[in-house]
Amino acid sequence: MESIRSLQQALIALDDARHAAMTRADIPALEPLLSDELSYTHSTGTVETKTQYLAALACGRVRYCAIQRDLDRISAFDGCVVMQGRLAVQAEVEGRNIVASTVFTSTWVRRDTGWQMAAWAATAMPHRPCHS
């Protein structure tokens, strides 16, 4: 049985690979990291299936330029890992430059072929004005 630490390291590496594939729009690298049942909820509230999400990357409607993740917590359950943290994203969506700061929860499930992300949900972080 793998230790919690090695499981966490493995999932962080998979999530790093997912981010790298997203910024390269590398669909063949990204596809096996995502469950066929994927529910991908963007910080805008838009929800996509795996097919819809990959199609948006493949056609260039969405292009990720940079992704910075800060993990707050990784919780392991029987056959499931939940990651929570903050994400800063620079992207182009339909030709518009987007900079987003979000909090996220991602759920990874163990399959016969390995770990896959089954759910993603991001919430935009509120912009707080500076007070003097």
Side-chain angles (χ1 to χ4, degrees), residues 38-50 52-53 56 61-62 64 93-94 96 119-124:
L38 176 68
S39 175
Y40 197 102
T41 305
H42 295 270
S43 62
T44 60
T46 301
V47 180
E48 293 179 319
T49 65
K50 178 180 180 175
Q52 292 167 325
Y53 179 73
R61 183 175 64 80
V62 175
Y64 291 96
V93 179
E94 297 176 343
R96 292 184 328 259
W120 170 267
T123 302

Coordinates of all heavy atoms in Angstrom, one line a residue, residues 38-50 52-53 56 61-62 64 93-94 96 119-124:
L38 N -15.9 13.5 -16.7 CA -15.5 14.8 -16.1 C -16.6 15.8 -16.1 O -17.3 15.9 -17.1 CB -14.3 15.3 -17.0 CG -13.8 16.7 -16.6 CD1 -13.1 16.7 -15.3 CD2 -12.9 17.2 -17.7
S39 N -16.7 16.5 -15.0 CA -17.5 17.7 -14.9 C -16.6 18.8 -14.6 O -16.0 18.9 -13.5 CB -18.6 17.5 -13.8 OG -19.3 18.7 -13.6
Y40 N -16.4 19.8 -15.5 CA -15.4 20.9 -15.4 C -16.2 22.2 -15.2 O -16.8 22.7 -16.2 CB -14.5 20.9 -16.6 CG -13.3 21.7 -16.4 CD1 -12.1 21.0 -16.2 CD2 -13.3 23.1 -16.5 CE1 -10.9 21.8 -16.0 CE2 -12.1 23.8 -16.3 CZ -10.9 23.1 -16.0 OH -9.8 23.8 -15.8
T41 N -16.2 22.7 -14.0 CA -16.9 24.0 -13.7 C -15.9 25.1 -13.7 O -15.1 25.1 -12.8 CB -17.7 23.9 -12.4 OG1 -18.6 22.7 -12.5 CG2 -18.5 25.1 -12.1
H42 N -16.0 26.0 -14.6 CA -15.1 27.2 -14.7 C -15.6 28.2 -13.6 O -16.7 28.2 -13.1 CB -15.2 27.8 -16.1 CG -14.7 26.9 -17.2 ND1 -13.4 26.9 -17.6 CD2 -15.3 26.0 -17.9 CE1 -13.2 26.0 -18.5 NE2 -14.4 25.4 -18.8
S43 N -14.7 29.2 -13.4 CA -15.0 30.2 -12.4 C -16.1 31.1 -12.8 O -16.7 31.8 -12.0 CB -13.7 31.0 -12.1 OG -13.3 31.7 -13.3
T44 N -16.5 31.0 -14.1 CA -17.6 31.8 -14.6 C -18.9 31.1 -14.4 O -20.0 31.7 -14.6 CB -17.4 32.0 -16.2 OG1 -17.4 30.7 -16.8 CG2 -16.2 32.8 -16.5
G45 N -18.9 29.9 -13.9 CA -20.1 29.1 -13.7 C -20.4 28.2 -14.9 O -21.3 27.3 -14.8
T46 N -19.7 28.3 -16.0 CA -19.9 27.4 -17.1 C -19.4 26.0 -16.8 O -18.4 25.9 -16.2 CB -19.1 27.9 -18.4 OG1 -19.6 29.3 -18.7 CG2 -19.3 27.0 -19.6
V47 N -20.3 25.0 -17.1 CA -19.9 23.6 -16.8 C -19.8 22.9 -18.2 O -20.6 23.1 -19.0 CB -21.0 22.9 -16.0 CG1 -20.6 21.5 -15.7 CG2 -21.3 23.7 -14.7
E48 N -18.6 22.2 -18.3 CA -18.4 21.5 -19.5 C -18.1 20.0 -19.2 O -17.6 19.7 -18.2 CB -17.1 22.0 -20.2 CG -17.3 23.4 -20.8 CD -16.1 24.0 -21.5 OE1 -15.0 23.8 -21.0 OE2 -16.3 24.6 -22.5
T49 N -18.4 19.2 -20.2 CA -18.0 17.8 -20.2 C -16.6 17.7 -20.7 O -16.0 18.6 -21.1 CB -18.9 16.9 -21.1 OG1 -18.7 17.4 -22.5 CG2 -20.4 17.1 -20.8
K50 N -16.1 16.5 -20.6 CA -14.7 16.2 -21.1 C -14.6 16.6 -22.6 O -13.7 17.3 -23.0 CB -14.3 14.8 -20.9 CG -12.9 14.4 -21.4 CD -12.6 13.0 -21.1 CE -11.3 12.6 -21.7 NZ -10.9 11.2 -21.3
Q52 N -16.5 18.6 -24.4 CA -16.6 20.0 -24.6 C -15.3 20.8 -24.2 O -14.9 21.7 -24.9 CB -17.8 20.6 -23.8 CG -19.1 20.1 -24.3 CD -20.3 20.4 -23.3 OE1 -20.1 20.4 -22.1 NE2 -21.5 20.8 -23.9
Y53 N -14.8 20.4 -23.1 CA -13.6 21.0 -22.6 C -12.4 20.8 -23.5 O -11.7 21.8 -23.9 CB -13.2 20.5 -21.2 CG -12.0 21.0 -20.6 CD1 -11.9 22.3 -20.1 CD2 -10.8 20.3 -20.5 CE1 -10.8 22.9 -19.6 CE2 -9.6 20.8 -20.0 CZ -9.6 22.1 -19.5 OH -8.5 22.7 -19.0
A56 N -12.8 22.8 -26.8 CA -12.5 24.3 -26.7 C -11.0 24.5 -26.8 O -10.5 25.5 -27.4 CB -13.0 24.8 -25.4
R61 N -10.4 28.1 -29.1 CA -11.3 29.0 -28.4 C -10.8 29.4 -27.1 O -10.9 30.6 -26.7 CB -12.7 28.4 -28.3 CG -13.7 29.4 -27.7 CD -15.1 28.8 -27.7 NE -15.3 27.6 -26.9 CZ -15.4 27.6 -25.5 NH1 -15.4 28.8 -24.9 NH2 -15.6 26.5 -24.9
V62 N -10.2 28.5 -26.4 CA -9.5 28.7 -25.1 C -8.1 28.4 -25.2 O -7.7 27.3 -25.7 CB -10.2 27.9 -24.0 CG1 -9.4 28.1 -22.6 CG2 -11.6 28.3 -23.8
Y64 N -4.7 28.5 -22.7 CA -4.1 28.8 -21.5 C -2.6 29.3 -21.7 O -1.9 28.6 -22.4 CB -4.1 27.6 -20.5 CG -5.5 27.2 -20.1 CD1 -6.2 26.2 -20.7 CD2 -6.1 27.9 -19.0 CE1 -7.5 25.9 -20.3 CE2 -7.3 27.5 -18.6 CZ -8.0 26.6 -19.3 OH -9.3 26.2 -18.9
V93 N -9.6 33.7 -24.1 CA -10.8 33.1 -24.3 C -11.5 33.9 -25.5 O -11.9 35.0 -25.3 CB -11.7 33.1 -23.1 CG1 -13.0 32.4 -23.3 CG2 -11.0 32.3 -21.9
E94 N -11.7 33.2 -26.6 CA -12.3 33.8 -27.7 C -11.7 35.1 -28.1 O -12.3 36.1 -28.4 CB -13.8 34.0 -27.5 CG -14.5 32.6 -27.4 CD -16.0 32.8 -27.1 OE1 -16.5 33.9 -26.7 OE2 -16.7 31.7 -27.2
R96 N -10.0 37.2 -26.2 CA -9.9 38.2 -25.1 C -8.9 37.7 -24.0 O -8.9 36.5 -23.6 CB -11.3 38.4 -24.4 CG -12.3 39.0 -25.2 CD -13.6 39.3 -24.4 NE -13.9 38.3 -23.4 CZ -14.7 37.3 -23.5 NH1 -15.4 37.1 -24.6 NH2 -14.9 36.5 -22.5
A119 N -13.6 15.7 -11.5 CA -14.4 16.9 -11.3 C -13.4 18.0 -11.0 O -12.4 17.9 -10.3 CB -15.4 16.7 -10.1
W120 N -13.8 19.2 -11.5 CA -13.1 20.5 -11.3 C -14.2 21.5 -11.0 O -15.1 21.6 -11.7 CB -12.3 20.8 -12.5 CG -11.7 22.2 -12.4 CD1 -12.2 23.4 -12.9 CD2 -10.4 22.6 -11.8 NE1 -11.4 24.4 -12.6 CE2 -10.3 24.0 -11.9 CE3 -9.4 21.9 -11.1 CZ2 -9.2 24.7 -11.4 CZ3 -8.3 22.5 -10.7 CH2 -8.2 23.9 -10.8
A121 N -13.9 22.3 -10.0 CA -14.8 23.4 -9.7 C -14.0 24.6 -9.2 O -13.2 24.5 -8.3 CB -15.9 23.1 -8.6
A122 N -14.1 25.7 -9.9 CA -13.3 26.9 -9.6 C -14.3 28.1 -9.2 O -15.3 28.2 -9.9 CB -12.4 27.3 -10.7
T123 N -13.9 28.9 -8.3 CA -14.7 30.0 -7.9 C -13.8 31.2 -7.9 O -12.7 31.2 -7.4 CB -15.3 29.9 -6.5 OG1 -16.1 28.7 -6.4 CG2 -16.1 31.0 -6.0
A124 N -14.2 32.3 -8.6 CA -13.4 33.5 -8.7 C -13.3 34.1 -7.3 O -14.2 34.1 -6.5 CB -14.1 34.5 -9.6

